[in-house]
Amino acid sequence: MKNDTSTSIHESLVPHYQAIIKNLGEDPQREGLVDTPVRAAKAMEFLTQGYRQDLDTLVNGAVFTSDTDELVIVKDIELYSMCEHHLLPFIGKCHIGYLPKGKVLGLSKFARITDMFARRLQIQELLTKQIAEAVQEVTGAAGVAVVVEARHLCMMMRGVEKQNSMMRTSVMLGQLRESATTRQEFLKLID
């Protein structure tokens, strides 16, 4: 989603990236680094575009009347986010299930909702909750379940350096929280 402030956002970040490069002991005028501050600023702007999106615009009326009331699951939605503690990526997938109650959501909107919240500085626990609550808000579903599985570069390439660690978070709302049978059906279907 383009925004009028888009140019000023990345332009305002450029001098900060120049300062970071210089403070690391590098020469920001070295051939390989001359354009790095601009590229880094544009990348950060892209990676945080979720701040400049809103749910209503994103969904764009793609909620449709339906008499379907069985569990609907969209799984393996890729996600890329940024750890708010270290500004390093975490990468994974999101599984969303919901029990429609008179309305269904256009398929691509699940990926767009996931991206809107993932493209912010985040912690995985909050990301999972935000996605679940947004799906609930848009669909008015009888129940919503979201599971996010991700690998965090802040844990893999620094600190404890555990390469095979993976974090899994879940949020269950409505009937998917209240009914163990329905919850188990969702969890079985995403495995």
Side-chain angles (χ1 to χ4, degrees), residues 63-94:
V63 179
F64 308 101
T65 303
S66 174
D67 61 358
T68 301
D69 63 357
E70 294 293 326
L71 185 59
V72 176
I73 297 174
V74 183
K75 64 181 267 185
D76 297 329
I77 301 167
E78 301 142 18
L79 69 84
Y80 306 91
S81 194
M82 297 281 285
C83 162
E84 68 182 35
H85 301 136
H86 301 99
L87 298 183
L88 289 172
F90 62 93
I91 300 163
K93 55 188 175 178
C94 177

Side-chain angles (χ1 to χ4, degrees), residues 5 37 46 48 56 63 67 80 88 96 109 114 123 127 140 187:
T5 61
F46 177 81
T48 60
D56 290 337
V63 179
D67 61 358
Y80 306 91
L88 289 172
I96 302 171
K109 302 307 178 183
T114 300
I123 60 171
L127 172 63
L187 294 171

Side-chain angles (χ1 to χ4, degrees), residues 66-163:
S66 174
D67 61 358
T68 301
D69 63 357
E70 294 293 326
L71 185 59
V72 176
I73 297 174
V74 183
K75 64 181 267 185
D76 297 329
I77 301 167
E78 301 142 18
L79 69 84
Y80 306 91
S81 194
M82 297 281 285
C83 162
E84 68 182 35
H85 301 136
H86 301 99
L87 298 183
L88 289 172
F90 62 93
I91 300 163
K93 55 188 175 178
C94 177
H95 314 291
I96 302 171
Y98 74 113
L99 290 166
K101 194 168 73 175
K103 296 178 182 175
V104 293
L105 181 61
L107 180 60
S108 71
K109 302 307 178 183
F110 293 98
R112 292 185 190 281
I113 289 169
T114 300
D115 285 347
M116 180 178 78
F117 291 110
R119 296 295 187 177
R120 299 176 182 188
L121 302 180
Q122 276 290 11
I123 60 171
Q124 185 175 326
E125 298 89 337
L126 180 58
L127 172 63
T128 309
K129 182 179 180 191
Q130 290 171 330
I131 294 167
E133 289 175 346
V135 171
Q136 176 66 49
E137 178 183 332
V138 168
T139 63
V144 174
V146 175
V147 171
V148 173
E149 303 169 292
R151 297 191 183 281
H152 293 249
L153 269 66
C154 58
M155 188 164 170
M156 296 169 68
M157 63 186 289
R158 58 159 302 282
V160 295
E161 297 183 65
K162 298 302 178 200
Q163 304 309 303

Side-chain angles (χ1 to χ4, degrees), residues 5-66:
T5 61
S6 141
T7 302
S8 63
I9 290 170
H10 90 260
E11 285 178 357
S12 68
L13 293 175
V14 170
H16 299 287
Y17 280 107
Q18 289 169 330
I20 290 169
I21 291 168
K22 185 175 182 177
N23 286 321
L24 291 173
E26 264 290 359
D27 175 8
Q29 297 306 310
R30 183 167 62 78
E31 180 183 9
L33 293 174
V34 169
D35 295 327
T36 298
V38 172
R39 287 191 300 266
K42 285 181 178 178
M44 185 59 76
E45 180 180 26
F46 177 81
L47 295 172
T48 60
Q49 66 186 304
Y51 290 119
R52 295 170 296 284
Q53 296 175 323
D54 68 85
L55 191 57
D56 290 337
T57 303
L58 185 135
V59 170
N60 194 27
V63 179
F64 308 101
T65 303
S66 174

